[in-house]
Amino acid sequence: MKNILVISYSQSGQLDSILDNFLLPFKGVNIDRVKVKPEDDFPFPWTSPTFFDAMPETVLEHPRKLAPYSLAKEEYQLIIFGYQPWYLSPSQPAMALLQDEKFRKVLKDTPVVTVIGARNMWLQSQKSIVREVNAAGGYMVGNVPLIDRAQNHISALTILHWLLTGEKTRKWGFLPLPGVSDEDIKAARQYGEPVAEAINHCDYLGLQRKILQKGGIKVSAALMLVESRGKMLFNIWANLIRKKGTNPEKRAVWVNRFKWYLIIALFVVSPPVLVIFTLLRPLMFLKIRRNKQHYLYLGIKR
């Protein structure tokens, strides 16, 4: 019987629900489900100070130490790695796992499928995941990103409402529900079908194409622009906070400055930039199409 490792960290439980549905088509295989967490876990719901204070170490990929966890096998025929992006980077628990030697040993020579539960931006974080998987000797064969489909600025408001209150309800009574929709969570099953078929035949060539043919997974041209610029600016802020925040009081001041920068950048600066990008988009059609394909197959042989 083939052995599959399904390993993840889910703060709110949303990613657990996605994986529950994703795994429904898997029959006749042994599934080891492992849920990791840091020794000093992050709060849920967050408070505003702790939410923004998590940015520097997340972006610089200096995560908190994980609580002890165990793996039932020394090797697996497939690893399904579930994670969330934080600040355009892998969440701290996800990155801690990828830097952990015990996990890196089972990654060696093993195919990996990533399952992402995100607000809407996952491209830059997936680059880090692919880099770490490859460095450990594993190899990517599939990626299933599920996102909040609300407009970017609306989803920013609704996700903060959820993260800071713990309530997955409509902000102000009329905005969309935050997070990945219940419909898309249930539809995760359809993306598990080609993965289950691939492991039964021990053949992953063309798996990502079959996943994409199920529909629903797309890359936004506008968000590609936002992510590429945002990742660079987040790195600047992360290093600045680490350098200037030499004690808790000073760090809190700089984290608060970052918070207001992020709010202004999101709701004041980015709208006109995206309007200009939309007007110029027809001139960049071929480049945008190439970039979309690049991210949809990031680290995966076609």
Side-chain angles (χ1 to χ4, degrees):
M1 182 176 289
K2 296 180 177 67
N3 295 307
I4 300 175
L5 173 63
V6 181
I7 193 163
S8 61
Y9 169 80
S10 183
Q11 189 184 30
S12 67
Q14 175 179 263
L15 185 59
D16 287 337
S17 297
I18 290 171
L19 286 169
D20 288 343
N21 285 278
F22 182 83
L23 294 171
L24 289 175
F26 288 76
K27 308 295 181 184
V29 295
N30 177 63
I31 298 176
D32 291 338
R33 188 84 178 265
V34 178
K35 300 178 183 180
V36 300
K37 62 179 182 179
E39 281 188 350
D40 179 17
D41 203 359
F42 295 91
F44 190 80
W46 294 85
T47 64
S48 180
T50 57
F51 177 77
F52 290 101
D53 188 69
M55 186 277 292
E57 285 69 32
T58 301
V59 171
L60 298 175
E61 299 178 357
H62 301 159
R64 294 185 187 182
K65 184 180 179 182
L66 290 176
Y69 68 96
S70 60
L71 301 176
K73 308 288 188 302
E74 292 185 357
E75 62 179 44
Y76 293 89
Q77 283 69 58
L78 175 68
I79 294 175
I80 298 172
F81 185 81
Y83 82 96
Q84 309 113 342
W86 292 359
Y87 293 105
L88 309 182
S89 305
S91 71
Q92 287 196 38
M95 185 52 67
L97 189 58
L98 287 166
Q99 294 175 3
D100 184 77
E101 283 305 314
K102 179 166 61 177
F103 183 56
R104 290 173 73 86
K105 285 181 181 178
V106 299
L107 273 174
K108 186 173 175 58
D109 300 323
T110 306
V112 177
V113 172
T114 44
V115 177
I116 304 171
R119 180 172 76 88
N120 58 12
M121 300 187 202
W122 55 269
L123 309 179
Q124 297 298 318
S125 65
Q126 186 69 359
K127 287 170 69 174
S128 294
I129 297 291
V130 170
R131 183 197 68 223
E132 292 297 324
V133 168
N134 289 343
Y139 57 99
M140 296 293 306
V141 296
N143 178 37
V144 179
L146 299 184
I147 65 170
D148 183 336
R149 297 187 185 277
Q151 191 271 344
N152 184 38
H153 298 89
I154 298 298
S155 70
L157 291 172
T158 59
I159 204 72
L160 281 174
H161 166 70
W162 183 19
L163 295 182
L164 297 179
T165 66
E167 299 177 1
K168 195 173 183 179
T169 55
R170 297 180 185 274
K171 184 174 177 62
W172 300 324
F174 65 87
L175 290 183
L177 289 172
V180 180
S181 69
D182 289 343
E183 180 182 359
D184 283 342
I185 289 174
K186 291 176 182 177
R189 175 176 185 154
Q190 67 177 332
Y191 302 114
E193 291 169 356
V195 181
E197 181 183 357
I199 191 170
N200 285 331
H201 293 89
C202 298
D203 182 8
Y204 299 99
L205 188 62
L207 172 58
Q208 185 65 8
R209 175 178 52 80
K210 293 177 183 177
I211 289 172
L212 296 174
Q213 284 175 345
K214 295 291 183 177
I217 297 176
K218 296 179 174 61
V219 173
S220 163
L223 294 183
M224 280 196 296
L225 173 69
V226 172
E227 281 210 51
S228 62
R229 301 296 184 270
K231 183 71 173 184
M232 177 183 65
L233 293 168
F234 280 4
N235 269 287
I236 292 172
W237 272 103
N239 281 294
L240 188 62
I241 291 170
R242 295 270 294 186
K243 180 180 179 181
K244 299 289 188 179
T246 52
N247 60 50
E249 292 76 18
K250 289 181 179 179
R251 180 175 170 114
V253 169
W254 282 95
V255 167
N256 192 57
R257 289 173 180 173
F258 165 73
K259 178 183 76 173
W260 286 106
Y261 154 78
L262 186 60
I263 292 170
I264 292 169
L266 180 61
F267 292 103
V268 179
V269 178
S270 71
V273 170
L274 291 177
V275 168
I276 294 171
F277 172 77
T278 301
L279 294 174
L280 297 176
R281 183 173 170 177
L283 302 176
M284 300 180 285
F285 173 77
L286 293 177
K287 181 179 180 181
I288 289 172
R289 186 171 67 177
R290 286 195 301 269
N291 287 342
K292 285 184 177 183
Q293 289 299 300
H294 167 73
Y295 283 113
L296 287 170
Y297 287 89
L298 193 62
I300 301 169
K301 292 184 179 179
R302 303 194 194 189

